[in-house]
């Protein structure tokens, strides 16, 4: 019998797919700076914080900027991104995500969000599932990026559950490593060939059940 008492969820790629919006905004910025940015590059930015993403993009474009200029560029990208996510609706929730959150709560499990995004609350409000989380820990609360476990340890603490009794749902390798580094169990969302370190991998939350959780 499993001792899981809390489920901690990454946002992008687990509950919604905002990667396309991040891509459009970063591409616009790169184009303004005079270089291009492919969808393949965008894959490398999943789970990476805003400023670290900018540093990588500038590096790929061979462009050097001061810290003040970087702040301005990151703000500009975020304004475009925020405009795009302001149009998000509940229709964009990934299949099974809302149903699984409801099932967790019905089973008496705590739920928390653990995301690098500083726009998490805006997104959860727009897709109308903010009430399904007991705690929201995001980029505004942490200083270290995944694979550092900070975001998930703070989530566990916020819901009053020991890390060993938590399971993390993640689509990024760095997120699975963050769970491991925090002493938590993990369920990978995606391909078992990629998320090899996860305790279990499902293609999406529509393939996850409380019964499967209890086998962890
Ligand atoms: C998530 C996404 C990343 C994004 C990061 C910061 O982890 O996967 O692509 O860069 O959040 O998002 P923000 O909304 O704070 O710019
Ligand atoms: Mg993710």
């Amino acid at each position: 019998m499993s001792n899981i008492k809390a489920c901690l969820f990454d946002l992008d790629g687990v509950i919604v797919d905002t990667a396309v919006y991040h891509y459009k905004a970063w591409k616009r910025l790169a184009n303004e700076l005079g270089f291009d940015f492919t969808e393949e590059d965008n894959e490398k930015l999943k789970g990476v914080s805003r400023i670290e993403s900018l540093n990588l993009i500038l590096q790929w474009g061979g462009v050097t900027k001061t810290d003040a200029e970087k702040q301005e560029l990151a703000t500009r990208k975020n304004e475009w991104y925020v405009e795009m996510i302001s149009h998000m609706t509940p229709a964009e929730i990934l299949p099974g995500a809302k149903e699984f959150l409801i099932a967790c709560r019905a089973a008496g499990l705590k739920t928390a969000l653990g995301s690098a995004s500083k726009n998490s609350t805006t997104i959860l409000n727009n897709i109308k599932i903010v009430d399904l989380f007991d705690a929201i820990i995001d980029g505004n609360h942490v200083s270290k990026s995944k694979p550092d476990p900070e975001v998930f340890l703070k989530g566990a603490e916020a819901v009053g559950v020991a890390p060993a009794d938590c399971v993390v749902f993640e689509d990024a390798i760095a997120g699975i490593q963050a769970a491991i580094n925090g002493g938590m169990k993990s369920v990978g969302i995606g391909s078992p060939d990629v998320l090899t370190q996860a305790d279990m991998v499902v293609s999406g939350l529509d393939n996850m059940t409380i019964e499967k959780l209890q086998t962890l």
Side-chain angles (χ1 to χ4, degrees), residues 42-81:
N42 195 54
E43 284 298 308
K44 298 174 195 141
L45 304 180
K46 287 189 175 174
V48 178
S49 76
R50 194 181 309 162
I51 205 74
E52 286 171 41
S53 298
L54 176 65
N55 280 331
L56 282 170
I57 290 165
L58 292 176
Q59 193 183 313
W60 295 333
V63 172
T64 310
K65 295 284 176 188
T66 65
D67 283 350
E69 286 167 335
K70 284 183 194 174
Q71 284 304 329
E72 191 275 319
L73 292 172
T75 301
R76 205 189 305 170
K77 178 267 174 179
N78 192 54
E79 283 168 2
W80 296 326
Y81 177 70

Side-chain angles (χ1 to χ4, degrees), residues 141-158:
H141 308 96
V142 297
S143 56
K144 288 170 247 155
S145 294
K146 300 166 189 176
D148 189 284
E150 184 182 15
V151 74
F152 294 130
L153 290 175
K154 286 197 168 162
E157 196 185 345

Side-chain angles (χ1 to χ4, degrees), residues 2-192:
S2 148
N3 58 351
I4 301 293
K5 297 190 180 76
C7 292
L8 313 181
F9 297 87
D10 174 46
L11 178 63
D12 296 314
V14 174
I15 297 190
V16 282
D17 193 3
T18 48
V20 58
Y21 302 127
H22 283 295
Y23 174 60
K24 284 184 184 164
W26 284 128
K27 185 176 167 70
R28 182 171 169 185
L29 189 77
N31 291 167
E32 282 194 3
L33 293 170
F35 61 93
D36 206 11
F37 169 60
T38 65
E39 243 171 302
E40 204 184 333
D41 290 333
N42 195 54
E43 284 298 308
K44 298 174 195 141
L45 304 180
K46 287 189 175 174
V48 178
S49 76
R50 194 181 309 162
I51 205 74
E52 286 171 41
S53 298
L54 176 65
N55 280 331
L56 282 170
I57 290 165
L58 292 176
Q59 193 183 313
W60 295 333
V63 172
T64 310
K65 295 284 176 188
T66 65
D67 283 350
E69 286 167 335
K70 284 183 194 174
Q71 284 304 329
E72 191 275 319
L73 292 172
T75 301
R76 205 189 305 170
K77 178 267 174 179
N78 192 54
E79 283 168 2
W80 296 326
Y81 177 70
V82 166
E83 205 286 316
M84 286 188 271
I85 61 170
S86 73
H87 302 290
M88 286 183 84
T89 70
E92 287 182 69
I93 301 173
L94 288 172
K98 184 172 181 178
E99 292 78 3
F100 185 65
L101 279 160
I102 291 170
C104 286
R105 296 170 71 87
L109 304 172
K110 296 284 185 192
T111 57
L113 189 85
S115 167
S117 174
K118 293 184 176 178
N119 295 299
S120 294
T121 304
T122 304
I123 295 168
L124 293 180
N125 275 319
N126 290 349
I127 62 174
K128 304 204 185 318
I129 56 168
V130 73
D131 295 343
L132 294 178
F133 292 93
D134 295 301
I136 293 171
I137 308 295
D138 70 12
N140 298 297
H141 308 96
V142 297
S143 56
K144 288 170 247 155
S145 294
K146 300 166 189 176
D148 189 284
E150 184 182 15
V151 74
F152 294 130
L153 290 175
K154 286 197 168 162
E157 196 185 345
V159 296
V161 173
D165 299 337
C166 293
V167 59
V168 165
F169 293 84
E170 258 291 349
D171 68 318
I173 295 170
I176 298 293
Q177 287 168 342
I180 294 167
N181 292 338
M184 300 172 180
K185 299 203 170 72
S186 63
V187 174
I189 305 292
S191 162

